[in-house]
Amino acid sequence: MAALIEAARLADFPAEIVVVISNRADAGGLEKARQSGIAAVTVESQPFGKDRAAFEAVLQSVLDQHTIDLICLGGFMRLLTAEFVQRWFGRMLNIHPSLLPSFPGLDPQGQALRAGVKISGATVHFVIPETDAGPIVMQGAVAVSDDDTADTLAARILQVEHRIYPDALRLVASGKIRIEGDVCKTAGSAGADGALISPAAG
């Protein structure tokens, strides 16, 4: 969230962060938003229990009040209904600390280490009803070291997350992303020039 707010301060950034919403009043991001002059709203989910539709009705009303065009999820651990997700299809982004479709769900860094992969990373994707799925907008990769723990790998992936989420939002907000079936296409994309190969040959 902080990375998105910082990027949005740039004069040429095509999106404005107008409200930060959390379902927990103690979320640290709310105070960070206020300090940045951005509206911060809590829609507590606990009083709604298992009635996700009622919670989302209040959430939608907040989004409507602020005339929101795009939603960027970050650390939002509550499951959203298929109806809400479909309403926002193509307009709701999420970031996940793995190279999806590998290692969705909880503990993706631990999953990566247990699988013995040599490269991991982060993925920005459009949200669909299935968890950690949806058309991939952007990915960033890091090498995995033999002595990595879930925490050390997560820390390096977080640095990549802070780079790619603002860049992905810039692409989406500027209309350079189109969805064809289940795949994102990027206008004018020529791909990256370099390759990340891990481990390096000695």
Side-chain angles (χ1 to χ4, degrees), residues 19 25 135 154 170 179:
V19 64
R170 179 185 288 273
I179 302 173

Side-chain angles (χ1 to χ4, degrees), residues 24-193:
R24 294 181 48 163
D26 61 350
L30 293 171
E31 184 55 34
K32 290 180 183 176
R34 292 186 189 101
Q35 291 172 1
S36 300
I38 297 169
V41 178
T42 302
V43 180
E44 287 277 8
S45 55
Q46 195 169 6
F48 294 97
K50 295 182 179 179
D51 191 350
R52 290 189 287 162
F55 165 75
E56 289 168 359
V58 177
L59 181 61
Q60 183 63 52
S61 71
V62 175
L63 296 169
D64 291 341
Q65 288 166 23
H66 291 272
T67 320
I68 299 303
D69 296 315
L70 288 167
I71 298 173
C72 294
L73 299 177
F76 190 78
M77 302 303 288
R78 187 174 173 88
L79 290 175
L80 298 165
T81 64
E83 292 77 15
F84 184 87
V85 170
Q86 286 160 356
R87 179 175 186 171
W88 284 91
F89 178 73
R91 298 186 297 144
M92 180 158 51
L93 294 171
N94 185 44
I95 190 160
H96 182 74
S98 78
L99 294 176
L100 293 173
S102 296
F103 316 128
L106 298 175
D107 188 29
Q109 299 91 350
Q111 291 184 60
L113 292 175
R114 288 189 292 275
V117 299
K118 304 306 180 187
I119 295 173
S120 189
T123 302
V124 179
H125 63 96
F126 285 110
V127 178
I128 63 172
E130 291 74 26
T131 302
D132 295 328
I136 291 170
V137 178
M138 186 176 286
Q139 293 181 302
V142 300
V144 179
S145 302
D146 287 344
D147 59 354
D148 262 327
T149 65
D151 288 339
T152 60
L153 180 57
R156 287 204 310 287
I157 291 175
L158 184 61
Q159 294 176 348
V160 171
E161 291 182 56
H162 290 164
R163 289 176 57 187
I164 68 171
Y165 212 170
D167 288 347
L169 177 58
R170 179 185 288 273
L171 287 176
V172 172
S174 60
K176 293 182 179 178
I177 296 287
R178 68 184 186 279
I179 302 173
E180 294 183 5
D182 296 328
V183 177
C184 282
K185 303 286 187 177
T186 309
S189 173
D193 294 330

Side-chain angles (χ1 to χ4, degrees), residues 6-23:
E6 192 65 30
R9 288 184 172 135
L10 300 174
D12 66 342
F13 199 80
E16 179 186 2
I17 312 297
V18 295
V19 64
V20 171
I21 305 171
S22 176
N23 66 320

